[in-house]
Amino acid sequence: NMSQQVQEFFSELDISCTRQRRRVSTGLKVPRRKSMLPAHLHSVMGGANLRLARGDPPGAIQLCREVIRQAPHVAEPYLTLATIYEDLGDRQRLLQILLIVAHLKRSDYDVWIKVGELALELGDKPLAVQCFNKASRLEPGNPGLMLRRAGLYCELQQSRKGLDIYLQMLEDKDIDGKSFVEVSKEVARLYHGKGLDTPRAIEALQVALQRHSAHADEETVNILAELLILSKRYQEAYDVIISFYHMGPFSAHSVCDAESEQSKPSLSLTAALRMSIA
């Protein structure tokens, strides 16, 4: 996790866990942030960059570590170390360094994303989702990031958290039709695949087809038809298939005609779905 990765690095430098640290909400202790490198360390940092430019990574690393020992709150030596370890191909060490940078520059969305992507490359999905969650707080409406977080939660067997994110996306008034249909398919898969609620899975797809019929594809129709058949709603399944394959893309009218008044899905989809996972 985040705390272990960072503490390992500081332990190597023999920096006290209580020296110029403060506890953040994750329980991780990090150096206090200051914007300026102390004047007496300018020459040391300059020497590190000069050694790096001259092709002496070990020497540059040694000087960066010396700066960190004296000023663990400054981001500059960590950024130089990150460049060195990236060039050396030491991904694990790079991850440790970037985690510290992310906490020192915690309002930097791009840094959190970079750390999350690196964690994924190294197979650390729990750490990746933590980083993407941090980034999400900085850009809460980012649809691509929401999809990544939801997908990771599902891979980590935390389907309800993933489902909650998908439902948040369906509540967004600005979501485009294609994304709405794709997210609805994920919602349906989760409800049915995890044995949560097959009727809700059917409802999610029916609403997607009503609202955004132009973006319906074979996969959407096949999933809906399969769920209807499993629910022994054979006539509805038949009507859905006929509407799509014989008449082309759905219209809201054709879908509604395929349903009885009692089975017609409500357009207040996410409110109903949330009730089923409460």
Side-chain angles (χ1 to χ4, degrees), residues 50-69:
L50 183 61
R51 291 197 179 192
L52 179 60
R54 290 178 175 175
D56 181 14
I61 290 172
Q62 183 178 0
L63 291 178
C64 284
R65 290 187 169 215
E66 181 56 36
V67 173
I68 291 170
R69 286 190 187 94

Side-chain angles (χ1 to χ4, degrees), residues 10 20-22 29-33 72-73 78 100 104:
F10 282 116
Q20 293 187 322
R21 309 283 184 84
R22 66 187 180 89
K29 293 177 180 179
V30 297
R32 285 197 185 94
R33 290 177 291 172
H73 50 269
Y78 301 106
I100 299 171
L104 291 174

Side-chain angles (χ1 to χ4, degrees), residues 4 34 277:
Q4 183 179 359
K34 295 182 182 179
I277 63 171

Side-chain angles (χ1 to χ4, degrees), residues 162-259:
L163 182 60
D164 189 59
I165 294 173
Y166 286 133
L167 294 178
Q168 288 177 37
M169 296 186 71
L170 294 180
E171 290 175 343
D172 186 354
K173 295 180 180 179
D174 296 326
I175 187 172
D176 63 272
K178 181 179 180 180
S179 296
F180 192 98
V181 172
E182 291 301 316
V183 172
S184 296
K185 285 192 285 189
E186 294 301 325
V187 168
R189 289 190 183 100
L190 283 173
Y191 268 105
H192 178 62
K194 300 299 179 181
L196 294 175
D197 195 334
T198 298
R200 295 297 186 191
I202 291 172
E203 184 178 1
L205 293 174
Q206 287 176 328
V207 171
L209 294 177
Q210 285 187 27
R211 291 185 178 180
H212 302 289
S213 59
H215 297 284
D217 58 9
E218 286 190 21
E219 184 181 34
T220 311
V221 174
N222 290 340
I223 294 173
L224 177 55
E226 180 181 351
L227 292 174
L228 288 168
I229 291 170
L230 289 172
S231 300
K232 298 183 179 181
R233 294 160 65 174
Y234 304 117
Q235 185 61 51
E236 290 178 63
Y238 175 80
D239 291 340
V240 165
I241 294 171
I242 291 299
S243 296
F244 183 79
Y245 288 103
H246 284 202
M247 299 173 59
F250 283 98
S251 65
H253 176 73
S254 67
V255 175
C256 289
D257 286 348
E259 304 160 357

Side-chain angles (χ1 to χ4, degrees), residues 9 35-54 56-85 97 101 104:
F9 176 80
S35 58
M36 300 295 291
L37 185 71
H40 71 282
L41 292 175
H42 284 177
S43 60
V44 183
M45 197 66 238
N49 291 324
L50 183 61
R51 291 197 179 192
L52 179 60
R54 290 178 175 175
D56 181 14
I61 290 172
Q62 183 178 0
L63 291 178
C64 284
R65 290 187 169 215
E66 181 56 36
V67 173
I68 291 170
R69 286 190 187 94
Q70 297 187 50
H73 50 269
V74 178
E76 188 175 348
Y78 301 106
L79 292 171
T80 299
L81 283 176
T83 299
I84 294 171
Y85 289 125
I97 299 299
V101 173
L104 291 174

Side-chain angles (χ1 to χ4, degrees), residues 79-93:
L79 292 171
T80 299
L81 283 176
T83 299
I84 294 171
Y85 289 125
E86 187 166 18
D87 290 342
L88 293 175
D90 190 339
R91 312 294 280 174
Q92 191 62 52
R93 184 68 74 179

